[in-house]
Amino acid sequence: MKKIFNYGIEHLTIGICLDIAAGNITGQLSETAKNQINLSWQAVQEIVVREHPVYGINTGFGPLCDTRISEKDTSLLQRNILQSHSVGVGAPIPAEIAKIMLITKVQALAQGYSGIAMATLDRILWHIEKNIIPVVPEKGSVGASGDLAPLSHLFLPLIGMGEVYMNENRISAAEMLKQHGLEPLVLGPKEGLALINGTQFILAFAVKGVERLHHALECADLIGAMSLEGLTGSARPFDPRLHQLRPFKGNIQVAARLTSLLSGSQIISSHAHCSRVQDPYSLRCMPQVHGASRNAWLHLKELTETELNSVTDNPVIFSADDTISGGNFHGQPLAMALDYACVAAAELGNIADRRCYLMNEGKYDLPKLLIADAGLNSGLMIPQYTTAALVTENKTLCFPASADSVPTSLGQEDHVSMGSISGRKLNQIIDNLEYIQAIELLYAAQAIDFRRPLQSGPVVEACHQLIRQKSSFATEDRIFALDIQAIHLLLTNGSFLKTANQTASAHHINLKHDESFSLS
């Protein structure tokens, strides 16, 4: 049987969220959660019949917050807000991201401070369970009153509007409802506002960014170790005594992993007493550079997990007599961390590009351009051009979106986070990083082959063998884009990291060390 997660009651982690999205865990509403939800809903019904104004329940929205809405029009108000705020543009976000938005919205609403009706939550849960995912445009949120535009598109299907992905097809929500014999929902007071106030667009990209950056960080140490082997670099800079003198958690983790990966290597031992005094920074400073990116990742992970279990609605309903119109929907807490993570991801690419360049230079008994017959063959000259282009593109994406603010809502929303842009940029940078890492693997595997018959440690050898199953040793020029694509697939489908971890486990090699860097 599948594991069960109780929305609004249990602590939602990044790992659990991703497992619900993948269908490995079933999310449900417990009786305790249902009681909380119903109490909040009843409080809203009481507010509606009173004369005292409460934002978004019996008033208009944004600059119209002082405009009173009659009891009979409260339902139409909620339907109108979904329609008027559905102004997103651009390509649709991945269905997985939209599904994570649904999951994280349920977790926020199920805590019982939003006045949502049980029937509305049940319909959202139905979408998650049936994997019928709304189509959400990627652009249009400023991340202030939450992610208004994308969340509006996300919930249009509840009222029979918008589009959904169903059985890998994109169809209208009206047709989807017809096929399943369902009627559009009639939203009650505050429900539309509760649905679209929140940070779930930013949060979904953060969840996915944490997962993808974690994978890239794990791969970075493995690929860096392979490059160091190919360049006959030293393992001395990874001595734990050195890093205890500057005990950043990320630095210590990377140094320990590199030490484990390089242990037992014939290549390392073959030049233990060579005349080289020290290696270039791209080899010697991997703990400091990869480690700094790990520290940034850890910060993002912690803040993302806090947001996963937060109420980001407005107003918040404590009771019919106690409501607070505040700013929990403001995206700045995640926006700044996502911008920090953009730099962290870009720097992994920067240092990888430098190692590619270093392997091309013809130093340390490697042939120039990593090919025996350079001249007639260009060898691996040009793949580094691609890494250079990608790292530069990533640098341009590192401008912090959260440092900007364009006032909206006639000045009522006079400071906005732009966190939706931060979240999208992080994932764009990781897209580029994965190709940079694939190219570094192409170089590292080629360089290691020039060290034969010497062998690396068991994990590096297993990774090298996996690469050679998809990309052979280059003796002459060929279309290296095909090699890059094949290696990129090994990275993105998890095969490369899985091979490394399984080999490490089989040889009792510890690559985990600090459990705080695990993805849970």
Side-chain angles (χ1 to χ4, degrees):
M1 292 180 63
K2 286 184 183 179
K3 292 182 179 179
I4 299 296
F5 176 79
N6 292 297
Y7 286 112
I9 303 298
E10 295 185 77
H11 184 79
L12 183 60
T13 66
I14 292 166
I16 291 171
C17 182
L18 290 165
D19 274 337
I20 295 172
N24 300 324
I25 293 177
T26 299
Q28 67 176 21
L29 295 172
S30 66
E31 289 304 314
T32 301
K34 290 178 181 178
N35 289 336
Q36 293 175 176
I37 293 161
N38 283 325
L39 284 173
S40 181
W41 177 81
Q42 288 166 7
V44 169
Q45 310 315 304
E46 291 181 39
I47 291 169
V48 171
V49 299
R50 296 180 180 179
E51 292 297 320
H52 183 68
V54 176
Y55 174 73
I57 297 179
N58 50 19
T59 76
F61 307 113
L64 303 174
C65 59
D66 295 323
T67 302
R68 290 298 300 272
I69 306 298
S70 67
E71 181 180 348
K72 68 182 180 63
D73 288 331
T74 54
S75 181
L76 179 60
L77 176 71
Q78 303 307 313
R79 179 182 177 85
N80 283 347
I81 193 176
L82 282 187
Q83 295 183 84
S84 66
H85 288 53
S86 295
V87 294
V89 298
I93 64 174
E96 182 188 12
I97 299 286
K99 190 173 186 180
I100 293 170
M101 289 176 69
L102 293 173
I103 292 163
T104 56
K105 175 57 82 171
V106 172
Q107 175 69 356
L109 295 175
Q111 294 177 56
Y113 296 97
S114 298
I116 200 81
M118 188 64 64
T120 305
L121 270 177
D122 284 341
R123 180 65 63 85
I124 299 171
L125 289 171
W126 179 86
H127 276 273
I128 296 169
E129 180 188 348
K130 298 295 184 182
N131 203 36
I132 297 174
I133 308 303
V135 175
V136 178
E138 64 180 347
K139 300 177 184 179
S141 172
V142 296
S145 279
D147 296 304
L148 295 174
L151 283 168
S152 296
H153 285 278
L154 186 74
F155 293 117
L156 278 177
L158 298 183
I159 59 173
M161 297 182 178
E163 294 181 300
V164 296
Y165 295 110
M166 187 175 76
N167 300 325
E168 300 183 359
N169 296 314
R170 181 173 170 174
I171 65 171
S172 72
E175 177 61 25
M176 176 273 296
L177 291 174
K178 181 179 178 181
Q179 289 186 24
H180 286 87
L182 297 173
E183 293 294 327
L185 298 180
V186 177
L187 298 178
K190 193 183 177 293
E191 288 200 273
L193 188 63
L195 291 170
I196 72 169
N197 264 193
T199 60
Q200 283 75 36
F201 183 87
I202 301 172
L203 181 55
F205 274 98
V207 167
K208 198 61 188 173
V210 168
E211 179 195 33
R212 295 183 68 201
L213 184 53
H214 178 265
H215 184 269
L217 285 161
E218 295 285 288
C219 290
D221 298 340
L222 290 163
I223 300 166
M226 292 178 70
S227 293
L228 184 137
E229 291 270 49
L231 288 159
T232 59
S234 173
R236 289 279 289 166
F238 315 138
D239 189 312
R241 295 173 300 168
L242 178 66
H243 296 283
Q244 287 300 328
L245 299 178
R246 196 188 187 202
F248 289 105
K249 292 183 72 172
N251 303 32
I252 291 171
Q253 173 79 348
V254 174
R257 281 169 57 82
L258 289 170
T259 298
S260 296
L261 289 166
L262 298 169
S263 179
S265 167
Q266 294 176 358
I267 297 175
I268 292 291
S269 60
S270 71
H271 57 90
H273 304 291
C274 70
S275 59
R276 272 165 66 183
V277 177
Q278 59 185 18
D279 294 325
Y281 288 179
S282 60
L283 299 178
R284 189 177 8 140
C285 298
M286 281 192 281
Q288 290 79 10
V289 179
H290 293 192
S293 292
R294 280 187 178 270
N295 293 333
W297 174 86
L298 189 59
H299 183 56
L300 178 61
K301 175 194 172 188
E302 291 171 350
L303 295 187
T304 299
E305 201 151 298
T306 297
E307 192 79 331
L308 278 170
N309 296 282
S310 297
V311 175
T312 55
D313 190 6
N314 182 61
V316 169
I317 311 298
F318 291 99
S319 71
D321 301 308
D322 188 4
T323 66
I324 298 178
S325 184
N328 273 10
F329 48 57
H330 202 291
Q332 198 76 356
L334 278 186
M336 293 178 70
L338 285 163
D339 283 332
Y340 178 21
C342 285
V343 176
E347 280 302 295
L348 289 180
N350 282 347
I351 196 170
D353 166 74
R354 292 300 80 212
R355 290 191 291 262
C356 292
Y357 189 94
L358 192 60
M359 284 182 273
N360 255 348
E361 283 191 298
K363 292 182 176 179
Y364 316 131
D365 300 319
L366 288 175
K368 189 174 291 187
L369 305 177
L370 285 176
I371 201 158
D373 189 11
L376 176 63
N377 294 289
S378 296
L380 295 183
M381 179 198 303
I382 303 300
Q384 190 267 326
Y385 286 40
T386 303
T387 63
L390 292 172
V391 298
T392 298
E393 184 174 320
N394 280 351
K395 290 171 191 175
T396 68
L397 290 167
C398 279
F399 176 85
S402 61
D404 192 21
S405 177
V406 178
T408 57
S409 194
L410 305 184
Q412 182 76 3
E413 297 165 14
D414 56 355
H415 180 279
V416 302
S417 77
M418 301 298 182
S420 65
I421 301 168
S422 306
R424 289 195 297 110
K425 287 199 299 101
L426 173 59
N427 283 272
Q428 287 177 268
I429 289 170
I430 296 171
D431 287 342
N432 290 336
L433 173 59
E434 289 167 347
Y435 278 110
I436 294 167
Q437 290 187 324
I439 292 170
E440 187 185 358
L441 266 174
L442 176 68
Y443 280 91
Q446 184 81 355
I448 285 173
D449 280 330
F450 284 107
R451 305 304 178 188
R452 299 308 188 202
L454 297 176
Q455 297 286 300
S456 305
V459 176
V460 170
E461 280 298 323
C463 290
H464 181 272
Q465 289 170 19
L466 178 66
I467 298 304
R468 284 289 169 253
Q469 290 175 20
K470 300 295 182 181
S471 171
S472 63
F473 176 74
T475 58
E476 60 184 5
D477 285 349
R478 61 184 189 234
I479 302 174
F480 288 113
L482 301 177
D483 297 82
I484 294 166
Q485 291 291 349
I487 297 171
H488 177 263
L489 182 59
L490 291 176
L491 285 172
T492 56
N493 69 12
S495 298
F496 180 76
L497 189 56
K498 182 179 180 181
T499 294
N501 288 335
Q502 287 180 340
T503 305
S505 178
H507 289 82
H508 307 290
I509 297 170
N510 182 16
L511 295 181
K512 291 185 178 180
H513 299 286
D514 187 341
E515 285 295 335
S516 65
F517 289 103
S518 64
L519 184 66
S520 59

